């Protein structure tokens, strides 16, 4: 009864809480298209709070931010995997932006099950990426290039 009493003592917060609850339920409803179903499912598994925020965006932006998040999550998974030798990891980080749209790219890396699943099924992210508008693709690739280069430089300094 403690939480209920706390909520009832602030009645102005009841409506925003109900809206948040319904938004969370909506975020769990996946698209019917197989590619987007997989991408939004992966997003929900890897970042529940961010997935909720993405669901509030307009459709084209929502899809682009979903793909953008998954691309950067994949890049970060490569960087974080200590089982990959530095001499193998650095070139992958530097060239990752070239693989963003590669439907044949996947890697067996990652310490968390959700990250492993993302990397093994990366072709689904590539498929979604290829459905985005050219300007969205360009932004994602450019930022992935900068991020990968920065990660590689950081690793080389260590």
């Amino acid at each position: 009864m403690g939480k209920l009493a706390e909520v009832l003592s602030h009645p102005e917060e009841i409506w925003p809480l109900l809206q948040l609850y319904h938004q969370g339920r909506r975020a769990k409803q996946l698209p019917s298209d197989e590619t987007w179903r997989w991408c939004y499912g992966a997003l929900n598994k890897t970042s529940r709070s961010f997935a909720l925020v993405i669901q509030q965006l307009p459709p084209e932006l929502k899809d682009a931010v979903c793909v953008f998040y998954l691309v950067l999550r994949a890049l970060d998974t490569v960087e974080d995997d200590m089982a990959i030798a530095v001499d193998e990891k650095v070139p992958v980080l530097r060239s990752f932006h070239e693989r963003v749209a590669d439907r044949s790219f996947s890697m067996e890396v990652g310490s968390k099950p959700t990250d492993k699943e993302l990397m093994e099924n990366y072709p689904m992210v590539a498929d979604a990426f290829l459905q985005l508008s050219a300007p969205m693709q360009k932004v994602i690739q450019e930022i992935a290039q900068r991020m990968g280069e920065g990660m590689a430089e950081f690793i080389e300094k260590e």
Side-chain angles (χ1 to χ4, degrees):
M1 185 75 176
K3 287 289 180 191
L4 181 58
E6 188 177 331
V7 169
L8 292 176
S9 69
H10 300 281
E12 72 280 1
E13 294 178 4
I14 293 174
W15 181 245
L17 282 172
L18 287 172
Q19 288 178 311
L20 186 61
Y21 171 77
H22 286 290
Q23 289 168 357
R25 289 180 52 100
R26 219 177 309 127
K28 291 179 184 176
Q29 294 174 352
L30 301 175
S32 58
D33 177 82
E34 180 184 0
T35 297
W36 291 107
R37 174 179 288 281
W38 190 91
C39 288
Y40 279 101
L43 177 68
N44 287 339
K45 290 177 190 175
T46 58
S47 180
R48 291 179 296 257
S49 59
F50 196 55
L52 184 62
V53 173
I54 289 175
Q55 295 297 324
Q56 306 309 307
L57 298 171
E60 183 180 338
L61 190 56
K62 176 174 72 169
D63 290 345
V65 173
C66 174
V67 171
F68 189 35
Y69 176 84
L70 294 174
V71 166
L72 294 184
R73 182 68 179 236
L75 181 61
D76 190 54
T77 298
V78 173
E79 181 200 24
D80 289 347
D81 195 321
M82 293 299 135
I84 306 172
V86 171
D87 61 334
E88 180 185 346
K89 184 184 294 191
V90 168
V92 172
L93 293 172
R94 285 204 163 108
S95 66
F96 196 87
H97 68 284
E98 298 168 359
R99 298 174 178 180
V100 170
D102 184 352
R103 288 182 166 127
S104 66
F105 175 68
S106 66
M107 291 181 74
E108 292 184 24
V109 297
S111 57
K112 298 178 194 169
T114 53
D115 292 337
K116 286 182 180 186
E117 182 181 359
L118 171 61
M119 296 307 293
E120 290 169 1
N121 293 285
Y122 190 83
M124 297 296 275
V125 178
D127 281 342
F129 175 82
L130 291 168
Q131 293 178 40
L132 299 175
S133 67
M136 295 290 191
Q137 290 179 12
K138 183 179 179 191
V139 168
I140 292 169
Q141 281 186 303
E142 287 176 356
I143 294 177
Q145 181 177 11
R146 281 190 258 157
M147 294 287 293
E149 187 62 39
M151 291 172 173
E153 287 176 16
F154 180 79
I155 289 170
E156 288 178 326
K157 288 179 184 177
E158 289 185 324

